[in-house]
Amino acid sequence: MNWFNTSAILAAAYLAVFLESHLGGLRLLLGAQIDLLPALMAYVALTSGLTTVVLLAVCGGFWFDSLSANPLGTTVVPLYVAGALIHYHRGLILREQWIARFATAFAACAAVPFLSVLLMLTMGAEPLLGYGSLWQWVVMATGGCATTPIWYLLLDRLNHALSYPAQTEPGFRPDRDIKRGH
Amino acid sequence: MFKRSYYVAFGLVALLALLALNLPDRTAHKVKLAVNALYLPMFGLAGSFQGLLEQVSVLVLPRRTLQREVDTLQRENDELRLRLAQFEEAWRENQRLREALQWQERIPWRVKAAKVLGQDPSNWWRTIHIDLGSRDGMRPNLNVLTADGLVGRVSEVGFTRSRVLLVGDPGCRVAAQVRETREKGSVMPSASSLDRLVVELSYLPGTAACRPGHTVITSGDGGIFTNGIPIGTITEVQTNEFGLYLEARVRLAANLNRLDEVWVLIP
């Protein structure tokens, strides 16, 4: 695991939750706040290891729930489920293609709020739900998906700029050396 | 099937989430506040940045505009002082009459200003954070308002911060009455509306005479909200599907979308 990469991802999650709480412009404009964590989880699931997925689900989920009226721990499991599913199938996903990146982010952004609300209803909480929630769900899924390029461009660049490049194998192999003149 | 590592990771995450979800309310509240405290530097930084922006905007504004604003505020201040003198006289008269009738003395409102730090990041709750906590005398159920009307009530109190449930949140139901007709009902969230400024006044008697334009205020029933705080104005009245009672749509007086500063009512 690349610790720098993981730290940068957790810092991004921390900032994302703060921005969601502090900036209300989109909520005013669209009637719903965009959740940035699921799109970040989709990025992490396609680019990092399972440990980073778990760390993001736990830290991001707890941070989100601490600023929200959600029961503590509600967002952790939905984030992990979305991340683990994408991570498990990442061998089949063309992760260099933007369309695949958007599709995975959209799926995560649609699944996480749905699973969170389902979990809360199962536990007996009474969140504010109605016909308007359908619109909010659409905004959360599409809006969250629209933030995909931010994560890929920002975190990829940061990672490339500040971490050591992967060591490549040299073409020379001593066992394949042709000895001449004997 | 999934690899073993996925099951182990899921087990760990699920265990942690289950532990957190099953914590007793008080402990969960304390843990939440502890996690929440991680955001204190960010809220402080955002506050300082906002203050800096305000200072810059004052520097950029032309002197003439500022002078005009000062004149307007001075005029408004004079008018309010006149009104206050009038109300003070009425208040004294009210106290004398209450004393004569041996009614309970009416306690004047004491308020404390609070800055709004942030909102609930999720879409299914309507809450805000304010910068007053237990060190400032905050406690659950204190009424929160603006100059325009009721905002909500304090729900969770930390040392330096508190969470406020806004009117329209499922956890904040308000006993209300129509000022003009004195009919009583209960203010509930309106889930069908995306507009955060629209709530429903439910359980009005079937014979109620209220109509659009009437003002809704807190009734004081239930013991949480002080009576007489403006809530909003009725925009629509309709019978509920069984015709047992009336429901009214109410547009809130306080603009919950643009809350920078609120007042906490301390009894």
Side-chain angles (χ1 to χ4, degrees):
Chain A
M1 189 174 69
N2 179 352
W3 277 105
F4 171 75
N5 185 33
T6 309
S7 312
I9 286 163
L10 291 181
Y14 172 83
L15 273 177
V17 173
F18 170 72
L19 289 177
E20 280 176 48
S21 169
H22 196 68
L23 304 175
L26 277 175
R27 201 195 293 260
L28 259 178
L29 201 72
L30 303 169
Q33 180 63 286
I34 289 170
D35 190 359
L36 302 168
L37 283 182
L40 178 61
M41 180 53 95
Y43 163 79
V44 169
L46 288 181
T47 57
S48 308
L50 191 62
T51 317
T52 314
V53 170
V54 171
L55 277 173
L56 176 63
V58 172
C59 294
F62 278 129
W63 288 336
F64 187 90
D65 292 338
S66 79
L67 286 183
S68 159
N70 285 348
L72 194 68
T74 311
T75 319
V76 176
V77 175
L79 269 177
Y80 173 75
V81 169
L85 280 174
I86 297 171
H87 190 270
Y88 184 72
H89 292 291
R90 69 181 182 166
L92 303 172
I93 297 169
L94 300 168
R95 53 188 139 152
E96 293 304 317
Q97 302 289 321
W98 277 104
I99 186 80
R101 292 172 173 183
F102 277 114
T104 46
F106 182 81
C109 291
V112 171
F114 179 75
L115 290 174
S116 302
V117 169
L118 203 68
L119 196 62
M120 272 190 284
L121 290 174
T122 314
M123 289 183 323
E126 288 175 24
L128 187 59
L129 295 174
Y131 297 121
S133 308
L134 282 174
W135 167 251
Q136 288 179 332
W137 190 42
V138 171
V139 171
M140 286 169 90
T142 46
C145 163
T147 62
T148 307
I150 299 173
W151 301 124
Y152 279 91
L153 297 176
L154 193 81
L155 290 171
D156 269 356
R157 271 189 197 173
L158 201 69
N159 205 18
H160 281 253
L162 296 171
S163 58
Y164 291 108
Q167 197 179 6
T168 47
E169 284 282 314
F172 175 75
R173 280 169 56 186
D175 59 321
R176 297 289 303 274
D177 192 14
I178 302 165
K179 309 249 190 257
R180 294 177 197 276
H182 289 286
Chain B
M1 283 311 283
F2 290 113
K3 284 184 218 157
R4 202 168 149 242
S5 57
Y6 287 91
Y7 287 117
V8 173
F10 180 74
L12 275 173
V13 170
L15 188 74
L16 210 64
L18 273 174
L19 267 175
L21 288 168
N22 285 300
L23 283 174
D25 279 353
R26 257 184 124 176
T27 320
H29 170 61
K30 278 184 185 164
V31 175
K32 224 173 179 180
L33 283 172
V35 181
N36 209 318
L38 284 174
Y39 281 98
L40 282 179
M42 289 306 291
F43 282 122
L45 213 70
S48 311
F49 185 68
Q50 216 164 341
L52 200 75
L53 272 182
E54 275 165 23
Q55 277 180 0
V56 169
S57 67
V58 167
L59 286 175
V60 168
L61 271 179
R63 200 180 150 77
R64 190 180 293 173
T65 317
L66 288 173
Q67 191 57 48
R68 208 180 307 140
E69 211 164 294
V70 168
D71 289 344
T72 318
L73 286 173
Q74 224 150 19
R75 222 172 301 133
E76 205 172 298
N77 191 24
D78 288 345
E79 201 183 310
L80 287 172
R81 277 165 67 179
L82 261 173
R83 265 203 215 175
L84 184 66
Q86 199 181 349
F87 280 125
E88 267 174 359
E89 191 43 47
W91 179 268
R92 273 193 288 273
E93 191 182 67
N94 180 289
Q95 294 291 83
R96 273 200 307 274
L97 288 171
R98 276 177 176 270
E99 225 173 88
L101 288 167
Q102 287 178 336
W103 279 14
Q104 201 184 0
E105 197 183 336
R106 192 183 274 265
I107 301 155
W109 290 359
R110 276 196 306 129
V111 286
K112 211 164 206 179
K115 237 182 160 57
V116 176
L117 297 173
Q119 293 187 28
D120 200 311
S122 60
N123 289 308
W124 38 84
W125 307 112
R126 288 177 185 171
T127 67
I128 53 167
H129 295 273
I130 57 169
D131 67 345
L132 295 181
S134 55
R135 67 164 181 190
D136 309 292
M138 291 296 105
R139 55 177 194 270
N141 292 336
L142 287 182
N143 300 185
V144 182
L145 45 128
T146 63
D148 300 319
L150 186 70
V151 168
R153 68 175 171 91
V154 174
S155 72
E156 289 171 15
V157 181
F159 185 61
T160 55
R161 290 166 57 185
S162 305
R163 186 193 300 280
V164 175
L165 293 182
L166 301 180
V167 181
D169 182 86
C172 183
R173 300 188 176 195
V174 188
Q177 69 179 0
V178 182
R179 184 182 272 157
E180 287 79 3
T181 59
R182 316 303 291 174
E183 285 145 353
K184 290 184 177 180
S186 182
V187 170
M188 324 256 259
S190 171
S192 56
S193 171
L194 281 172
D195 191 348
R196 287 155 63 93
L197 302 183
V198 174
V199 290
E200 266 167 29
L201 176 62
S202 211
Y203 303 117
L204 284 164
T207 52
C210 59
R211 53 175 195 271
H214 282 177
T215 312
V216 179
I217 57 171
T218 50
S219 68
D221 299 340
I224 291 179
F225 293 99
T226 311
N227 67 331
I229 306 172
I231 297 175
T233 315
I234 293 178
T235 55
E236 194 187 331
V237 183
Q238 58 189 35
T239 321
N240 85 323
E241 52 188 308
F242 305 111
L244 293 173
Y245 52 84
L246 291 183
E247 283 175 341
R249 234 159 211 239
V250 177
R251 186 153 194 88
L252 294 177
N255 188 353
L256 303 186
N257 292 324
R258 290 185 193 282
L259 287 174
D260 294 322
E261 233 176 36
V262 290
W263 299 91
V264 182
L265 198 71
I266 299 166

